[in-house]
Amino acid sequence: MALLDSAIRSRALSDVALTVLVTGLSGLIGRALHARVGTAWNLRALNRSPVAGVPCHRADIGDFDAIRPAFAGVDVVVHLAATVGNKAPDEDILRVNVRGTYNVYEAARQAGVKRVVFASSGSTVSAIEREQPYRDLVAGRLPEAATWPLLTHESAVRPNGLYGCSKVWGETLARHYAQAHGMSMICVRIGHVSAEDRPMAPREYSVFCSQRDIARGLELCVTAPPTVRFDVVFVTSRNRRGYRDLEHTRAVLGYEPLDAAEDYR
């Protein structure tokens, strides 16, 4: 795996002319991605606060006219900015995740951006955890020898709350932009990434994603071949109790997680 990781990094480092705009670069996942790619890309930020060492256009993604200048001359957009979780006010989720995601896609289209990588979420499917066997799985009640069906990119969405619905919207809108405008749109259903960078509750042994695994996954999306026009991929770590398929992610991106929830037991 170390050799594979080295090969992936070498491919990215060879792409020195790539200009990548990241929305929400100051967030946890943005910082992990920044640490991984370093100066390999011409990195820019679209953020509400400044980002040290990176040219930053400061604006709210809910304001289309304010964000448009950030997209000029950009090759790839990584859209991480979002209002997260179902405890957030509904109006914030609608303004940032629904309207804001449309604004990012449309500003990218108008600027001639080749690809948008959308930070979707496992919340697009996680309501299935209310049903068996997933309810017992995430509670840690299934025996080690148990098996269960994996959810794939083709499984029906099961959004958890308005937040999950907003991420389904982002994926559906991405498909529209790929079909209607010929853009490359890759949606990444991200597992549970935390500041602690380790599982902290029983459920997280099913959905854990380390900071370095999500950074690698996003890097692979940015540098994926132009033939990837639209896709939805899960990115988690290699979790024995996981229920989200990684085979499709491996086939499309060459993604191989380096970490596993069980490493922290």
Side-chain angles (χ1 to χ4, degrees):
M1 287 188 179
L3 290 174
L4 176 63
D5 189 54
S6 176
I8 291 169
R9 181 172 287 277
S10 295
R11 180 175 65 168
L13 287 172
S14 69
D15 226 340
V16 292
L18 198 64
T19 298
V20 180
L21 174 69
V22 182
T23 73
L25 186 62
S26 63
L28 178 64
I29 294 174
R31 295 195 303 271
L33 178 63
H34 188 189
R36 176 169 178 83
V37 301
T39 58
W41 303 334
N42 177 18
L43 199 62
R44 301 181 189 174
L46 171 55
N47 225 62
R48 287 183 297 180
S49 57
V51 179
V54 177
C56 183
H57 182 87
R58 296 179 63 180
D60 187 324
I61 63 169
D63 185 337
F64 181 73
D65 290 335
I67 69 172
R68 284 184 65 192
F71 294 79
V74 169
D75 297 308
V76 179
V77 172
V78 179
H79 178 34
L80 301 178
T83 293
V84 178
N86 290 319
K87 293 182 179 179
D90 291 354
E91 56 269 24
D92 289 352
I93 293 175
L94 293 170
R95 181 180 60 83
V96 177
N97 297 7
V98 176
R99 184 70 195 184
T101 295
Y102 167 78
N103 287 347
V104 168
Y105 291 1
E106 180 59 16
R109 181 192 71 80
Q110 291 186 15
V113 172
K114 301 178 181 70
R115 168 172 290 161
V116 176
V117 178
F118 171 57
S120 186
S121 168
S123 289
T124 55
V125 298
S126 63
I128 203 168
E129 295 173 15
R130 300 170 190 167
E131 302 176 9
Q132 297 291 20
Y134 307 100
R135 185 169 59 194
D136 281 349
L137 173 67
V138 299
R141 291 193 293 262
L142 286 187
E144 288 293 331
T147 59
W148 47 87
L150 295 180
L151 270 62
T152 76
H153 64 293
E154 295 179 330
S155 299
V157 293
R158 300 293 300 274
N160 181 23
L162 187 60
Y163 171 69
C165 290
S166 74
K167 291 301 185 177
V168 173
W169 153 259
E171 293 182 359
T172 303
L173 189 65
R175 184 182 287 275
H176 165 69
Y177 270 77
Q179 293 174 339
H181 304 300
M183 296 170 66
S184 174
M185 309 290 290
I186 304 177
C187 304
V188 187
R189 290 177 175 173
I190 300 171
H192 183 74
V193 181
S194 67
E196 295 83 3
D197 209 20
R198 59 176 297 152
M200 301 295 288
R203 177 179 180 266
E204 293 171 23
Y205 284 90
S206 292
V207 299
F208 171 69
C209 184
S210 70
Q211 293 180 28
R212 67 173 178 169
D213 277 343
I214 187 53
R216 293 180 68 249
L218 292 171
E219 180 185 35
L220 287 169
C221 289
V222 170
T223 59
T227 51
V228 181
R229 305 307 302 168
F230 173 82
D231 225 312
V232 175
V233 296
F234 287 103
V235 173
T236 67
S237 291
R238 188 181 65 258
N239 306 324
R240 167 65 185 88
R241 304 182 74 85
Y243 67 86
R244 301 171 185 174
D245 170 65
L246 296 180
E247 288 301 319
H248 181 67
T249 315
R250 183 178 295 110
V252 173
L253 301 176
Y255 172 72
E256 294 283 354
L258 296 177
D259 299 310
E262 290 73 25
D263 295 342
Y264 301 92
R265 282 184 172 172

